[in-house]
Amino acid sequence: MPLNIIVNQEDDNIAVIELEGDLVVADVDKLRREVKDLINNNIVKIVLDFSGVNFIDSSGIGLLVEFLKTLGKQPDGKLKLANLGKYVKEVLKQIQLYSIFEIYESVDEALESME
Amino acid sequence: MARKYTLKFYILLDKKKEYNEKEKIDYREISNIQNVIKDQLIAEVVPVDSLSEIELEESTIEFDDIKDVNDIFVENFYIDKKDPSKIYASISGRIYTENGKFYISDKLEVNNVDYSTGNIHFVGDVTIKGDIKPGFEVKARNVFVEGNIDNAKVLAGEKIVVKGGVVGLQGRLQCILKAEKMIILNFVENSHVECNGSVYIKKSSMHTNIYSNENIVVTEDPGCIVGGEIIAKKNIIVKIAGSKWGTKTILKSGIDPFKYLRLKDLISKREKREKLLIEVEKSLNYLNEVIDTAKNQEEKSDLLEEINEIKKKKEKFKKRLKRLNNLIDKLKEDIDRENESLNLDESKIFIYEKVYPGVEIRLGLEHFKISDTIEGKLCFYLEDGKIKYR
């Protein structure tokens, strides 16, 4: 299922990106562009809401790792992942990268952790 | 004329950044590690004449035969059998070029992590021959440190192993270690340690908070835990707990440490928010009183504007407080449900030599404060709802 992206600005420099569909190679550029636009507008604290994501491939994971670096380079830049489904959690654990991301059970928790 | 091919990349190839004199540079973020994930699509062989002008300008690799790609992607790549124009990573690691050829390695070795390397974010294993310097961060699959970690942050998808010491600044707890599977340390001081697996500390833990979903073990010489909060879902095994000066040392077993931490953090945030809301209300009340004493219409207008801004802030804070309260209630319910089904037979605290006053033992929901020094091999356990030891 193609990726649908909805960006909600929560605060001055915080945005929640709702993802719906599959985060795969065909759509990574789309998400990359959205995040780049946010950074260009000084929105550097980003929560990715995975509640609508059922499938992620290596390119999708590669993109998350790329975002860690891109946002890490911004002053106060933060990346938080929320509402990860069982499949996505398992994939991250299998490639042994689960602990390097900040993962929350809900968007609210992720937003709380930004403050 | 032979048809020429080039490569279309599906990863962002970092070019070396050129900084201008006015630009601020964060020397902690200068690392140029290009991470790729196993089975990630790296590139595709495409005919040169299929590219746009801009793409053509950026393309630097051209070749005549599609099979030449095997000479370009040298190590840890594979080609899709169904579509031989696509090149994938066969391992997770860092992609780099040498003499125009591509390689992927899942190992990285550095001397120190400092201003020469910047922070390290790597999907493979990193070996640090020296130290991780203050204020720096390492995120990797496995992290091996032969020297010391000095007030730094280390996150590992699997393991952290440190041969030297881990030392943070007193009272700050900014020295943070987190790993999924296992943490092995020599000694640790003034730090914060979290692990989904077990934590093994050879010599001692001083004034450090340690949280594990499995076991926490400190059993070589001196084998002591002094100060801090130590929480293991299963067992805590230590030689000496506390100190003769009565240092407050909390040993807890039989609870989910991470839910407990989350709850603690949310409650602390709620207290701060409530105080902030009270201050905002005070400001609002004051301005409402003062507005009637405004000298003229202009001053009144300014005050009204300020009042409106503060009212908006108050609404924002109330909304955040409500969200926080909801989170706390949900988490408390979750913890209560878990406590009801907890099997505390697997959760014990073993102290092999001595325990001093100042140490608090907690198993599940029960507490036991040590009031006199007890020597000998001790096992604290829960029986009939009370903490006992033998």
Side-chain angles (χ1 to χ4, degrees):
Chain A
M1 185 180 154
L3 190 69
N4 194 24
I5 300 171
I6 301 169
V7 179
N8 296 313
Q9 194 168 338
E10 283 291 318
D11 217 324
D12 287 341
N13 62 352
I14 303 178
V16 176
I17 302 180
E18 282 177 41
L19 302 172
E20 197 180 57
D22 300 333
L23 183 51
V24 296
V25 61
D27 289 309
V28 295
D29 260 348
K30 201 165 140 187
L31 183 55
R32 184 184 280 131
R33 276 194 302 271
E34 286 288 353
V35 169
K36 194 175 171 187
D37 282 344
L38 288 170
I39 293 174
N40 289 340
N41 288 309
N42 289 323
I43 297 167
V44 295
K45 293 183 185 181
I46 293 175
V47 177
L48 290 176
D49 179 358
F50 275 78
S51 49
V53 175
N54 293 318
F55 182 76
I56 184 168
D57 72 0
S58 301
S59 296
I61 297 169
L63 186 66
L64 297 181
V65 173
E66 188 187 300
F67 285 162
L68 267 184
K69 188 173 164 183
T70 319
L71 288 165
K73 287 186 178 198
Q74 305 300 318
D76 288 337
K78 287 187 172 113
L79 175 70
K80 315 262 177 176
L81 311 184
N83 287 324
L84 261 59
K86 199 174 167 188
Y87 171 79
V88 176
K89 271 187 193 170
E90 274 312 307
V91 167
L92 284 177
K93 284 182 184 178
Q94 257 178 41
I95 55 164
Q96 295 138 359
L97 291 180
Y98 189 81
S99 288
I100 71 168
F101 292 102
E102 289 189 56
I103 294 172
Y104 296 87
E105 297 297 312
S106 66
V107 168
D108 279 351
E109 275 198 65
L111 288 171
E112 274 308 320
S113 73
M114 289 285 197
E115 292 160 34
Chain B
M1 196 165 81
R3 196 152 193 230
K4 279 194 180 170
Y5 298 96
T6 186
L7 293 166
K8 179 182 173 187
F9 284 91
Y10 286 86
I11 55 168
L12 215 57
L13 283 175
D14 250 0
K15 292 175 190 128
K16 194 173 174 176
K17 196 174 168 167
E18 301 290 332
Y19 295 96
N20 67 49
E21 58 185 32
K22 289 184 186 166
E23 204 171 339
K24 278 188 193 171
I25 305 170
D26 181 356
Y27 282 98
R28 289 197 174 94
E29 294 298 341
I30 56 166
S31 161
N32 231 4
I33 296 169
Q34 283 295 137
N35 286 298
V36 294
I37 305 293
K38 181 175 182 288
D39 301 325
Q40 186 174 354
L41 176 60
I42 303 298
E44 189 181 359
V45 179
V46 296
V48 162
D49 54 17
S50 71
L51 294 183
S52 68
E53 258 183 56
I54 298 171
E55 284 170 326
L56 213 49
E57 257 178 47
E58 292 181 351
S59 142
T60 53
I61 303 169
E62 288 185 7
F63 42 94
D64 287 326
D65 191 331
I66 207 165
K67 286 181 193 162
D68 288 348
V69 83
N70 292 314
D71 296 330
I72 295 169
F73 292 94
V74 177
E75 206 170 283
N76 294 316
F77 296 92
Y78 68 88
I79 286 167
D80 187 356
K81 284 174 189 164
K82 290 181 193 164
D83 182 354
S85 69
K86 292 197 167 128
I87 300 117
Y88 294 84
S90 58
I91 60 167
S92 295
R94 59 187 180 100
I95 187 170
Y96 62 98
T97 54
E98 242 172 55
N99 301 320
K101 296 179 193 291
F102 288 85
Y103 301 80
I104 300 176
S105 170
D106 64 350
K107 306 272 180 261
L108 176 69
E109 194 176 280
V110 298
N111 287 329
N112 294 316
V113 175
D114 54 22
Y115 286 107
S116 67
T117 58
N119 290 334
I120 291 183
H121 296 164
F122 180 46
V123 298
D125 304 331
V126 64
T127 299
I128 296 146
K129 305 293 264 176
D131 309 324
I132 303 178
K133 297 298 184 188
F136 284 89
E137 186 177 280
V138 175
K139 285 184 186 178
R141 184 173 60 191
N142 287 298
V143 181
F144 305 103
V145 183
E146 295 189 11
N148 305 311
I149 295 177
D150 187 354
N151 205 41
K153 189 172 175 181
V154 180
L155 270 56
E158 278 222 314
K159 269 194 292 210
I160 298 172
V161 179
V162 185
K163 280 191 179 167
V166 176
V167 181
L169 285 177
Q170 197 176 12
R172 298 275 194 92
L173 292 180
Q174 285 168 348
C175 188
I176 296 171
L177 273 57
K178 289 187 189 180
E180 187 64 19
K181 296 244 171 103
M182 194 187 296
I183 294 180
I184 301 174
L185 308 174
N186 197 9
F187 69 87
V188 61
E189 199 174 317
N190 293 321
S191 303
H192 177 103
V193 177
E194 286 182 29
C195 186
N196 215 17
S198 293
V199 177
Y200 300 95
I201 301 170
K202 286 187 186 170
K203 291 183 182 169
S204 61
S205 163
M206 311 283 283
H207 311 294
T208 291
N209 295 342
I210 307 176
Y211 307 95
S212 161
N213 247 343
E214 297 270 328
N215 306 300
I216 295 169
V217 182
V218 187
T219 51
E220 289 188 25
D221 279 319
C224 59
I225 292 178
V226 179
E229 180 177 63
I230 314 294
I231 306 183
K233 198 163 186 185
K234 292 188 177 171
N235 303 302
I236 296 173
I237 304 167
V238 62
K239 268 190 174 174
I240 301 169
S243 75
K244 61 184 178 189
W245 297 282
T247 313
K248 185 176 177 181
T249 306
I250 299 173
L251 304 180
K252 278 192 215 190
S253 170
I255 62 166
D256 182 323
F258 302 112
K259 284 186 183 163
Y260 162 84
L261 264 181
R262 257 164 61 208
L263 185 62
K264 197 170 151 182
D265 182 50
L266 291 175
I267 290 174
S268 160
K269 277 192 172 137
R270 180 171 63 182
E271 279 168 12
K272 287 182 189 155
R273 293 266 164 83
E274 282 168 347
K275 280 184 188 158
L276 213 53
L277 199 53
I278 291 171
E279 291 305 314
V280 167
E281 302 252 18
K282 278 184 186 166
S283 301
L284 209 48
N285 290 339
Y286 172 74
L287 285 171
N288 279 325
E289 282 170 20
V290 152
I291 197 164
D292 290 334
T293 63
K295 289 184 194 133
N296 51 49
Q297 195 54 41
E298 196 182 325
E299 196 175 296
K300 197 170 185 175
S301 263
D302 286 343
L303 283 168
L304 270 170
E305 203 177 306
E306 210 175 319
I307 288 174
N308 282 334
E309 283 306 311
I310 294 181
K311 275 186 181 168
K312 280 186 200 166
K313 234 184 228 180
K314 180 181 166 184
E315 285 316 304
K316 198 164 141 181
F317 286 168
K318 274 171 92 172
K319 187 177 162 190
R320 282 186 189 166
L321 197 56
K322 188 178 175 188
R323 180 174 75 193
L324 204 45
N325 278 327
N326 286 342
L327 283 172
I328 288 172
D329 290 341
K330 266 190 207 161
L331 190 52
K332 276 184 173 172
E333 268 174 34
D334 192 10
I335 289 173
D336 286 341
R337 243 181 285 125
E338 199 169 280
N339 284 339
E340 276 167 24
S341 58
L342 219 49
N343 175 9
L344 287 167
D345 288 340
E346 281 188 358
S347 307
K348 293 182 178 68
I349 294 174
F350 298 90
I351 300 175
Y352 285 147
E353 268 185 31
K354 208 184 284 190
V355 60
Y356 287 102
V359 172
E360 284 178 36
I361 304 280
R362 298 186 196 182
L363 286 166
L365 301 172
E366 297 305 311
H367 298 205
F368 181 86
K369 264 189 183 169
I370 305 291
S371 49
D372 286 306
T373 305
I374 312 173
E375 293 193 38
K377 278 189 182 156
L378 304 162
C379 167
F380 290 85
Y381 60 98
L382 208 58
E383 192 179 80
D384 301 328
K386 284 197 174 146
I387 295 179
K388 296 183 178 174
Y389 63 92
R390 54 169 183 257

